[in-house]
């Protein structure tokens, strides 16, 4: 088994790296689960649900009452697709660049009889611009990734949000490739539903995440995924939803995931998202400079997340070659994807570039 400390890791867009602090925290969780009286254990760790909501709200500048936990991004998109009310003639708008998590649930809505319009483009940027031009009076939902998984293009959410507000369109955002790398102020940029898995740039365990639902929209939404945690009362023929974000919960929570994500969000807030974003943008600038100096082609955007993609002839072969040098990247379609953290460095990137030049692939 290869130890992480011996690797050069540039695959954060697939799975982040667990910190030593989180490792210790989860060991404590497991020890308590083993040693404590079960009901006392549950009582102790259920408190982390509220703590998670508070830390996420600090990061995004919204209220804790608008956030609750998820097990992954896909669950959040499924929820969004069922919560938002649609009627005959309404259209859902997405681009062809979306990852399956933000694509397949909307295909299901198409099978339910609603129209899904998939806008294409030669690049993620052109697809985004084409999406803006495709908006019409039938558009009811726009679903988009803040940062595209394949090439790192960062959508202008502020511009898109303004349009959606003007035209009364629901805006659903998959934030997993951007949250924790850049600032996103929900007090300024109005989004209706935002979902984010915790296992990538946030550094939490797989099977954790959160959803933000704008409380001003609650009264309009369908009831979906109703369970014992989402209601204040129920009887033989009725129920009453809670007046907080627990209305979007169902049953027993994954406390392991909740504790994990709470810890990671707290660490990000402690470091400061402004500081993290500044370091990420500095690394992005330097990485691009190194690629240019070595005459290596890459997909370049003015607005870009922590992803740089290199168009290459054989990405799978190049990815395998890099692994032999303990360098981990990701092959996707016809590109080699490099995704980094604010904790990444220039020396490791320079080694990656050296191997790429040597490989001639």
């Amino acid at each position: 088994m290869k130890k992480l400390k011996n690797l050069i890791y540039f695959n954060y867009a697939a799975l982040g790296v667990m910190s030593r602090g989180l490792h210790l925290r989860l060991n404590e969780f497991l020890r308590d689960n083993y040693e404590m009286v079960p009901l006392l254990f549950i009582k102790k760790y259920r408190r982390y649900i509220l703590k998670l909501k508070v830390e996420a709200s600090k990061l995004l500048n919204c209220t804790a009452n608008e956030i609750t936990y998820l097990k992954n991004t896909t669950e959040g998109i499924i929820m969004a697709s069922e919560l938002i009310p649609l009627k005959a003639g309404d259209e859902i708008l997405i681009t062809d660049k979306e990852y399956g998590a933000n694509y397949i649930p909307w295909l299901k809505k198409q099978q339910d009889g609603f129209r899904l319009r998939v806008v294409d483009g030669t690049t993620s940027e052109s697809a985004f611009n084409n999406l803006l031009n495709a908006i019409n009076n039938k558009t009811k939902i726009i679903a988009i990734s803040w940062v595209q998984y394949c090439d790192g293009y960062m959508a202008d959410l502020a511009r898109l949000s303004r349009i959606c507000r003007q035209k009364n369109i629901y805006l659903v955002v998959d934030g997993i490739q951007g949250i924790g790398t850049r600032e996103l102020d929900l007090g300024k940029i109005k989004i209706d539903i935002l979902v984010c898995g915790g296992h990538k740039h946030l550094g939490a365990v797989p099977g954790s995440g959160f959803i933000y639902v704008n409380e001003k929209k609650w009264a309009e939404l369908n009831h979906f995924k109703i369970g014992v945690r989402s209601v204040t009362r129920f009887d033989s023929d009725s129920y009453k939803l809670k007046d907080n974000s627990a209305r979007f919960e169902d049953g027993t929570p994954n406390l392991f995931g909740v504790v994990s994500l709470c810890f990671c969000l707290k660490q990000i807030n402690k470091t400061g998202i402004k500081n993290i974003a500044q370091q990420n943008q500095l690394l992005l600038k330097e990485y691009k400079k190194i690629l240019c100096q070595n005459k290596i082609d890459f997909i370049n955007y003015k607005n870009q997340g922590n992803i740089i993609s290199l168009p290459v002839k054989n990405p799978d072969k190049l990815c395998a070659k890099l692994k032999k040098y303990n360098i981990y990247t990701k092959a996707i379609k016809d590109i080699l994807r490099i995704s980094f953290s604010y904790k990444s460095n220039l020396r490791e990137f320079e080694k990656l570039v050296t191997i790429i030049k040597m490989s001639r692939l």
Side-chain angles (χ1 to χ4, degrees), residues 200-224:
K200 299 189 180 185
H201 300 286
L202 296 179
V205 298
S208 63
F210 66 85
I211 182 170
Y212 158 88
V213 184
N214 188 327
E215 60 186 350
K216 293 180 179 178
K217 298 290 184 177
W218 290 3
E220 305 171 10
L221 301 178
N222 296 325
H223 292 191
F224 175 70

Side-chain angles (χ1 to χ4, degrees), residues 171-221:
L171 178 56
V172 178
V173 176
D174 174 352
I176 195 169
Q177 296 293 1
I179 293 175
T181 72
R182 302 289 192 278
E183 292 181 80
L184 179 58
D185 188 337
L186 295 181
K188 297 178 180 177
I189 299 176
K190 305 302 180 183
I191 293 171
D192 297 304
I193 299 178
L194 171 74
V195 302
C196 182
H199 63 285
K200 299 189 180 185
H201 300 286
L202 296 179
V205 298
S208 63
F210 66 85
I211 182 170
Y212 158 88
V213 184
N214 188 327
E215 60 186 350
K216 293 180 179 178
K217 298 290 184 177
W218 290 3
E220 305 171 10
L221 301 178

Side-chain angles (χ1 to χ4, degrees), residues 4 7 9-20 22 176-177 179 181 197-208 260 264 268 306 328 337 339-344:
L4 184 62
L7 305 179
Y9 194 73
F10 283 111
N11 198 17
Y12 286 86
L15 183 64
V17 174
M18 179 180 288
S19 68
R20 175 169 173 76
L22 178 57
I176 195 169
Q177 296 293 1
I179 293 175
T181 72
H199 63 285
K200 299 189 180 185
H201 300 286
L202 296 179
V205 298
S208 63
S260 165
C264 292
I268 288 172
N306 281 27
Y328 279 69
R337 187 183 70 184
S339 51
F340 60 94
S341 160
Y342 75 99
K343 297 179 180 179
S344 303

Side-chain angles (χ1 to χ4, degrees), residues 3-42:
K3 297 291 184 67
L4 184 62
K5 64 181 181 180
N6 299 323
L7 305 179
I8 295 176
Y9 194 73
F10 283 111
N11 198 17
Y12 286 86
L15 183 64
V17 174
M18 179 180 288
S19 68
R20 175 169 173 76
L22 178 57
H23 180 254
L24 294 173
R25 187 70 189 87
L26 293 178
N27 278 341
E28 179 185 351
F29 174 92
L30 292 173
R31 185 181 66 246
D32 285 348
N33 195 187
Y34 180 70
E35 295 179 352
M36 290 180 68
V37 175
L39 291 180
L40 294 180
F41 167 79
I42 291 293

Side-chain angles (χ1 to χ4, degrees), residues 49 66 89 97 112 125 130 163 178 184 227 270 311 313 334:
I49 294 173
E66 294 174 294
K97 309 304 179 188
D112 290 344
E125 183 173 35
N130 291 342
I163 295 171
L184 179 58
K270 184 177 179 180
K313 292 181 180 179
D334 58 351

Side-chain angles (χ1 to χ4, degrees), residues 307-322:
I307 295 172
I308 304 176
S309 293
L310 316 183
V312 293
K313 292 181 180 179
N314 196 328
D316 290 303
K317 193 171 182 179
L318 180 53
C319 188
K321 176 81 171 182
L322 289 166

